[in-house]
Amino acid sequence: MPGQQTQTVSLFIQCLVDVMYPEVGVAMLKIFRKLGIPVDCPTNQTCCGQPAYNSGYRQQARTAARKFIEIFEHKEVIVCPSGSCVTTVRHHYPDLLSDEPDWHRRAETVSGKTFELTQYLVDVLGIDDLGARYSGKLTYHDSCHALRALGLQEQPRRLISNVTGAELVEMNDSDRCCGFGGSFAIKYPDISTAMAKDKVDNIIATGANAVVGVDISCLMNIQGLLNRKKSPVKILHIAELLAG
Amino acid sequence: MAEIRTEHYKSEARKAIKDRTLQGALADVQDRLGKGTAKAYRELPEGPGLRLKAHEIRMQAVENLDILLETLAENVRENGGKVIFAEDAAAAVTECLEIARRHEVRTVVKGKSMVTEEIGLNEALTAAGMEVTETDLGEYIIQLAGESPSHIIAPAIHKTRQQVGRLFAEKLGIPYTEDPPTLTQAARKALREKFLAADMGISGCNLACAETGHITTVSNEGNIRMATTLPRVHVAFMGMERVVARLEDHDILFRLLARGAAAQHMAGYISYIGGPRQPGHADGPDAFYLIIIDNGRSRILADEDFREMLCCIRCAACLNVCPVYGKIGGHSYGYPYSGPVGAVVTPLLVGIDRAKHLFMGETLCGACKDACPVDIDIPRMLLALRARLVEGDRRWNTPPGNLVEKSAYTAWSLAIRNRSLYDGLRWLSAQAQQLMTARDGMIHRLPFPFSGWTRSRDMKPLARKTFMQHWKEMQKE
């Protein structure tokens, strides 16, 4: 797609990546630099508001949405390393602001140009090989919102399969929720843990060195349990894999 | 049966998670039916898009419910049946008791019906001195065991064949066996006697057809057909939303119902019942009553956010894919409706505030929507329920939610608007976390309200530098 590639990508950095896993953002930056795509990053961004929205705090989520829109509405294209944050912007912002015509219109504008990283690479840019290298077996966890709200199933797998030296081994029930669910993980820890245990068992059964995902929130949950079990299996955000 | 409290939900869930037999049974039913349903949808000649058509049919019916119910009632009466509208559970039960008294009913056989569980019918009939027998094999098992259904269409999945073997040995006086065909034969024999002796047959209604005045019952055991044709009196109960306009709508909906419920192409028995026995008919009841139950459904219908839930045809496909149901089982939900459907319907029927744990205790993974034969957007309604709980709503007798939590989110919404303030708070948290970080670089114990996380999981501490700091430094390079 000529023309598309010259668009400047504005980094929409998930808050968890910003404050806990900055290496994922750095990796995403490396990917765009490697592709020769101009990048900018509004440094006054914070959180898209998903935690408030998912907990029913719509007024507070609207505050976050308006702030996000103000920051990003004039950008050419917005790319984020998280399927669930992109779902919030793409699917929930327009609903959240549906009673305010001006904001609704602005939300629609932003929502139409916000993409998850693998979605942008594969569906928009048509790139499924980044020339990355990895040595060992990998398995892929389908994050719920990336899979069901954004339809990302083939895109990440194609990218992983083209990593030299990486062997992708499918786990059982890769499309089953890991049990994170935001505040659910804290309010209903027993149920959340039971779900996470199944996920971790399925990951370990593949014999993979690492589990790859497109959402650090799921990976954080999985890492929490893997570490508690002292399992050698690592978590790997797809940006880190593709930057390698 | 109704045990709807947050603590009950959590403690039953813990019990279920520890129950290895139940975990095996849940995994098995989800593996077979959950995956089977997805496959059955893919194999539809019209493609998975048929679910959207079904949604349209159901939504249209829900939006024209007043006209459809009137037409249905008129046509049933024309066929010689009697139609009763019951405003709530108590009214429905009273009507049934009155019918039983009028027809001098002593024994009752029942086909599986969730709405009769909802209104507590069995308890009322039993208290009035009648003998009530559930005739669906699963329902029969749990009735003998004195339990309640743990799955909408497979009510006894929580019981093993060994448990059933012991139960039948004790209650039916047969020698202990765990051979399913032998156990089924024993139940069949016991139930045949009940069918032949019963004065009244009670059924639910999968979907009524307004234009013809029929109700339909669907089963795989043929028991509902016997319960509705052998006894002198047939009383059918239906939730007031379970009607569509035309007979041709049934074609699509029943093909999807069978796929959603049991990964079948079509259920074993579908009966269209349009009234009592007509002159010249070989069998059928002398009297037919249709009790149409509101019990809170009008309130759901009146609310635009939740009206869509009335499209539900109670197939349980969402239970078979729900990762939360798959761990906690049906009894945790404390009400006849479990799984994702229960998480939305139960609060709407019994109170949003009272049953809040049902819609808070879900992960919003969206698997239920993809599995629903009528494409109901359950995740959207889980979110809408959460918003109602926070904001409060007098129509739903729900006061505004937890003020402490609300203040926390309001403070958060202020902090995220101001990056310097946000960074300051992050820095403070990072300092505090340094004290909690263990030698392996992870946090093993967090204070309340985050302690739930570290009970079973570790957590990576906040990074020394945010991505934004990295970015600024990289720009200088």
Side-chain angles (χ1 to χ4, degrees):
Chain A
M1 256 175 277
Q4 284 277 15
Q5 295 194 14
T6 58
Q7 281 191 317
T8 298
V9 166
S10 291
L11 302 182
F12 158 20
I13 300 295
Q14 179 187 20
C15 55
L16 282 180
V17 167
D18 185 22
V19 302
M20 283 173 80
Y21 297 86
E23 60 275 17
V24 172
V26 173
M28 186 161 89
L29 185 58
K30 275 190 198 158
I31 293 171
F32 287 121
R33 284 191 173 163
K34 186 152 79 173
L35 293 170
I37 293 169
V39 177
D40 80 353
C41 178
T43 53
N44 54 342
Q45 63 177 297
T46 52
C47 171
C48 67
Q50 182 181 189
Y53 183 73
N54 283 357
S55 298
Y57 292 90
R58 298 220 166 151
Q59 196 49 50
Q60 290 77 357
R62 268 191 280 274
T63 304
R66 288 195 200 97
K67 164 93 176 168
F68 184 95
I69 291 169
E70 280 168 352
I71 292 173
F72 282 101
E73 65 186 329
H74 299 300
K75 302 296 182 188
E76 287 184 326
V77 62
I78 303 152
V79 181
C80 174
S82 158
S84 76
C85 301
V86 170
T87 300
T88 300
V89 174
R90 280 183 82 99
H91 295 303
H92 298 318
Y93 275 10
D95 274 355
L96 197 52
L97 297 164
S98 60
D99 288 342
E100 301 161 78
D102 180 48
W103 279 109
H104 179 74
R105 186 186 47 74
R106 292 164 75 181
E108 294 272 13
T109 307
V110 168
S111 116
K113 55 184 177 187
T114 302
F115 300 93
E116 185 278 332
L117 174 64
T118 65
Q119 184 182 30
Y120 188 66
L121 291 173
V122 178
D123 294 348
V124 180
L125 300 180
I127 296 170
D128 62 8
D129 189 347
L130 284 142
R133 290 172 180 281
Y134 179 85
S135 171
K137 266 194 204 174
L138 296 171
T139 190
Y140 178 73
H141 163 64
D142 283 285
S143 286
C144 296
H145 298 154
L147 175 69
R148 299 193 184 85
L150 302 177
L152 301 175
Q153 189 169 30
E154 282 314 302
Q155 295 88 332
R157 286 181 169 81
R158 266 166 62 189
L159 288 160
I160 297 168
S161 303
N162 287 327
V163 172
T164 310
E167 184 196 345
L168 178 62
V169 189
E170 289 290 340
M171 71 173 96
N172 198 17
D173 292 333
S174 67
D175 61 351
R176 205 167 167 84
C177 178
C178 72
F180 175 62
S183 63
F184 170 81
I186 297 164
K187 288 186 173 168
Y188 299 90
D190 297 306
I191 307 174
S192 170
T193 301
M195 292 162 70
K197 274 188 175 149
D198 282 358
K199 177 57 71 181
V200 163
D201 287 346
N202 284 331
I203 292 168
I204 291 174
T206 62
N209 310 88
V211 52
V212 182
V214 297
D215 242 306
I216 205 70
S217 39
C218 312
L219 293 176
M220 171 176 79
N221 186 37
I222 292 167
Q223 180 188 37
L225 213 64
L226 283 170
N227 199 69
R228 183 63 62 95
K229 280 175 83 100
K230 302 200 180 346
S231 161
V233 179
K234 300 287 174 218
I235 59 160
L236 194 57
H237 190 283
I238 198 160
E240 296 175 275
L241 175 69
L242 298 177
Chain B
M1 169 68 200
E3 180 72 57
I4 306 167
R5 286 178 301 114
T6 305
E7 268 323 303
H8 175 266
Y9 180 70
K10 289 186 173 179
S11 66
E12 284 298 306
R14 271 195 294 274
K15 244 193 272 171
I17 289 164
K18 282 188 193 138
D19 182 338
R20 281 171 167 261
T21 310
L22 179 64
Q23 289 300 312
L26 289 168
D28 182 55
V29 79
Q30 291 204 327
D31 216 44
R32 274 188 303 124
L33 295 182
K35 287 176 187 163
T37 291
K39 182 166 174 280
Y41 289 157
R42 285 195 300 272
E43 286 169 358
L44 278 166
E46 296 93 335
L50 193 65
R51 294 162 55 246
L52 307 182
K53 173 76 185 155
H55 182 90
E56 210 177 284
I57 292 171
R58 285 296 294 140
M59 206 61 212
Q60 229 172 45
V62 166
E63 276 165 357
N64 295 287
L65 207 48
D66 50 348
I67 299 165
L68 293 186
L69 286 175
E70 213 168 286
T71 313
L72 172 71
E74 238 169 68
N75 288 328
V76 171
R77 285 176 185 136
E78 206 151 289
N79 295 338
K82 297 196 171 61
V83 182
I84 297 157
F85 286 91
E87 199 181 329
D88 54 22
V93 169
T94 307
E95 292 287 353
C96 188
L97 287 171
E98 173 54 26
I99 295 165
R101 194 194 53 76
R102 209 180 309 141
H103 291 275
E104 297 175 347
V105 170
R106 282 194 306 268
T107 54
V108 178
V109 283
K110 274 188 75 203
K112 216 181 100 47
S113 152
M114 294 309 291
V115 74
T116 62
E117 299 276 349
E118 175 189 324
I119 63 173
L121 184 66
N122 288 12
E123 293 83 346
L125 294 176
T126 309
M130 278 169 265
E131 183 203 88
V132 183
T133 307
E134 292 285 352
T135 64
D136 172 271
L137 181 57
E139 291 278 352
Y140 183 57
I141 292 169
I142 57 162
Q143 188 187 29
L144 287 180
E147 295 175 8
S148 54
S150 69
H151 186 285
I152 292 175
I153 62 139
I157 54 153
H158 59 286
K159 302 202 86 68
T160 61
R161 58 193 163 131
Q162 290 79 9
Q163 288 171 332
V164 175
R166 283 194 293 275
L167 181 71
F168 278 19
E170 184 199 331
K171 302 276 179 177
L172 302 181
I174 61 162
Y176 173 83
T177 169
E178 51 184 63
D179 174 48
T182 312
L183 289 168
T184 309
Q185 279 302 333
R188 185 187 171 103
K189 184 161 172 287
L191 287 170
R192 281 292 151 98
E193 285 158 22
K194 302 289 181 190
F195 281 126
L196 290 168
D199 302 310
M200 179 189 269
I202 289 178
S203 75
C205 162
N206 283 87
L207 266 185
C209 175
E211 71 172 358
T212 64
H214 283 91
I215 66 145
T216 53
T217 63
V218 177
S219 82
N220 276 317
E221 297 170 19
N223 61 307
I224 304 184
R225 189 166 287 179
M226 297 183 94
T228 55
T229 49
L230 288 169
R232 292 182 280 122
V233 186
H234 173 199
V235 182
F237 287 84
M238 75 176 246
M240 71 176 214
E241 78 283 12
R242 302 290 280 273
V243 58
V244 286
R246 290 169 297 269
L247 203 53
E248 64 193 68
D249 297 337
H250 283 222
D251 164 45
I252 293 178
L253 288 167
F254 282 146
R255 284 167 59 212
L256 285 165
L257 172 67
R259 282 167 169 82
Q264 290 174 303
H265 287 181
M266 194 47 92
Y269 299 85
I270 298 181
S271 301
Y272 284 78
I273 300 168
R277 177 157 55 103
Q278 303 293 320
H281 281 187
D283 52 20
D286 298 333
F288 170 75
Y289 296 87
L290 175 61
I291 301 183
I292 300 174
I293 300 172
D294 185 326
N295 204 29
R297 287 162 175 78
S298 289
R299 188 163 65 163
I300 302 176
L301 181 64
D303 194 312
E304 255 181 63
D305 273 347
F306 303 120
R307 187 174 299 159
E308 186 185 356
M309 201 58 220
L310 295 177
C311 294
C312 177
I313 51 176
R314 304 285 191 269
C315 70
C318 55
L319 278 64
N320 298 336
V321 297
C322 175
V324 172
Y325 177 87
K327 296 318 299 178
I328 70 175
H331 288 151
S332 306
Y333 295 79
Y335 201 67
Y337 307 115
S338 52
V341 45
V344 176
V345 159
T346 304
L348 293 175
L349 292 177
V350 309
I352 290 178
D353 188 46
R354 184 176 161 204
K356 55 180 178 284
H357 50 278
L358 297 182
F359 54 82
M360 295 306 294
E362 299 278 340
T363 67
L364 305 170
C365 80
C368 48
K369 181 176 187 293
D370 287 354
C372 178
V374 293
D375 197 43
I376 297 175
D377 197 345
I378 288 182
R380 178 188 67 74
M381 285 185 276
L382 292 171
L383 285 166
L385 283 164
R386 292 177 182 192
R388 291 299 173 93
L389 182 70
V390 166
E391 287 152 20
D393 190 331
R394 278 164 64 183
R395 284 174 301 173
W396 293 96
N397 309 321
T398 297
N402 185 329
L403 274 179
V404 177
E405 193 179 86
K406 188 177 179 181
S407 317
Y409 272 102
T410 304
W412 167 88
S413 76
L414 294 175
I416 62 162
R417 281 162 70 185
N418 181 332
R419 183 74 207 197
S420 316
L421 176 60
Y422 183 81
D423 275 329
L425 291 170
R426 185 205 57 82
W427 185 83
L428 282 174
S429 313
Q431 299 311 305
Q433 282 197 353
Q434 272 190 1
L435 303 170
M436 300 175 209
T437 308
R439 250 180 294 165
D440 66 354
M442 297 284 280
I443 298 172
H444 294 187
R445 188 179 290 179
L446 281 165
F448 183 83
F450 305 105
S451 45
W453 182 281
T454 44
R455 231 191 285 158
S456 57
R457 288 161 286 204
D458 297 332
M459 185 177 262
K460 191 169 179 275
L462 291 165
R464 296 165 76 99
K465 275 190 219 167
T466 62
F467 173 77
M468 296 307 152
Q469 287 169 309
H470 282 285
W471 166 264
K472 283 178 191 160
E473 286 173 14
M474 287 159 91
Q475 293 313 100
K476 284 182 205 146
E477 284 166 15

